[in-house]
Amino acid sequence: KRGTRPTELAEDIFAPQSTKSGNFESHYLETEIDGERIGLTLWDSEGLEKNVVDLQLREMSSFLESKFEETFTEEMKVVRAPGVQDTHIHCAFLLLDPLRLDRNIAASSKAAASNGNGNGKYTSAPRIIGGLDEDLDLQVLRTLQGKTTVVPVISKADTITTAHMTYLKKTVWDSLRKANLDPLEAL
C-alpha cells in the first residue's frame, strides 16, 4: 500500500494464478511495491453450512495446520529452495450476511422477551448471542482462533445503509464480547 493508489496497484498485478486443493481454491497475485516484489495468496473455501459445520471446521483446521507445517518445514531447512512461497495462512475472513444477522437479532430479541425459554442446545430454536449464531459463527471463531487471526466481515455493505451497517458492527462486536471472544487478541 505505502502511498500507492488502488488503481496503480491493480495495474501492476502480474498474471494471477489459481489452483485447487480439496475444497479450497487459491488465487495467487504478485505485484511490485516500491521496487519490492510482493506475493499474496487468497484461499477461498466453500460456504459454511450450519448442519455440517463440524465436519467443515475439521477440514478447515487440518488445512490451516497443513499450510503452517509446509512453511515451517521449509523455514527449518538449512538451505532453502529458491522462490518457495510462504503457504502459512496468516488471516481468515469470516463473512457475515447482514440479512442473517438481522434474523439472528430478531430471534435473540424474541428469546429475551420470552425469558430465554427454548434456547438450549438440544432445541430446534437457534442459539443466538446478540447477532451471532452460537452453532455457526461463534463455533467458527472459537475453532480457528488459535490457528490464525479470524476477522469477522459484514458482507454486502452496498445493500444496506451506513446507519444499519454501524448498528450491525456494534451488535457483532457486543456479541463477541458477550461470548468472551476478541478477534484482535492475537494482534
Side-chain angles (χ1 to χ4, degrees):
K1 293 177 180 168
R2 299 181 192 143
T4 305
R5 293 190 330 259
T7 54
E8 289 174 354
L9 186 63
E11 293 169 3
D12 292 340
I13 293 177
F14 302 108
Q17 305 162 3
S18 293
T19 58
K20 194 148 174 92
S21 176
N23 290 324
F24 304 93
E25 185 176 351
S26 76
H27 304 279
Y28 180 75
L29 303 169
E30 268 189 13
T31 188
E32 196 169 299
I33 300 174
D34 295 337
E36 185 178 344
R37 198 169 206 151
I38 305 290
L40 172 70
T41 303
L42 298 173
W43 286 97
D44 187 11
S45 71
E46 62 184 9
L48 298 173
E49 296 181 36
K50 190 173 182 175
N51 56 343
V52 292
V53 74
D54 293 336
L55 296 171
Q56 291 175 310
L57 282 174
R58 250 184 264 142
E59 181 182 13
M60 197 174 289
S61 290
S62 295
F63 185 74
L64 284 166
E65 290 168 2
S66 73
K67 292 299 170 191
F68 174 79
E69 287 296 324
E70 285 175 21
T71 300
F72 187 70
T73 301
E74 185 61 32
E75 292 289 324
M76 293 302 293
K77 291 180 180 177
V78 174
V79 178
R80 297 182 192 138
V84 173
Q85 296 175 5
D86 175 4
T87 61
H88 176 65
I89 297 173
H90 298 275
C91 178
F93 296 110
L94 174 61
L95 299 179
L96 303 170
D97 183 351
L99 294 174
R100 192 170 60 79
L101 289 173
D102 286 335
R103 283 193 302 268
N104 289 349
I105 292 166
S108 179
S109 298
K110 184 178 175 183
S114 67
N115 295 325
N117 293 336
N119 207 14
K121 183 170 186 168
Y122 300 105
T123 65
S124 61
R127 298 184 314 143
I128 308 293
I129 296 179
L132 299 179
D133 188 330
E134 177 73 39
D135 300 319
L136 182 61
D137 309 315
L138 295 174
Q139 185 175 350
V140 170
L141 286 162
R142 285 188 180 108
T143 302
L144 300 182
Q145 191 173 30
K147 298 174 183 12
T148 190
T149 301
V150 182
V151 178
V153 176
I154 300 172
S155 63
K156 303 177 186 174
D158 59 335
T159 64
I160 58 178
T161 65
T162 304
H164 190 61
M165 177 59 84
T166 302
Y167 168 72
L168 290 178
K169 285 180 184 178
K170 183 181 179 338
T171 302
V172 167
W173 190 250
D174 291 345
S175 300
L176 291 171
R177 268 196 245 119
K178 285 180 191 172
N180 293 324
L181 290 169
D182 182 3
L184 304 176
E185 182 179 322
L187 302 175

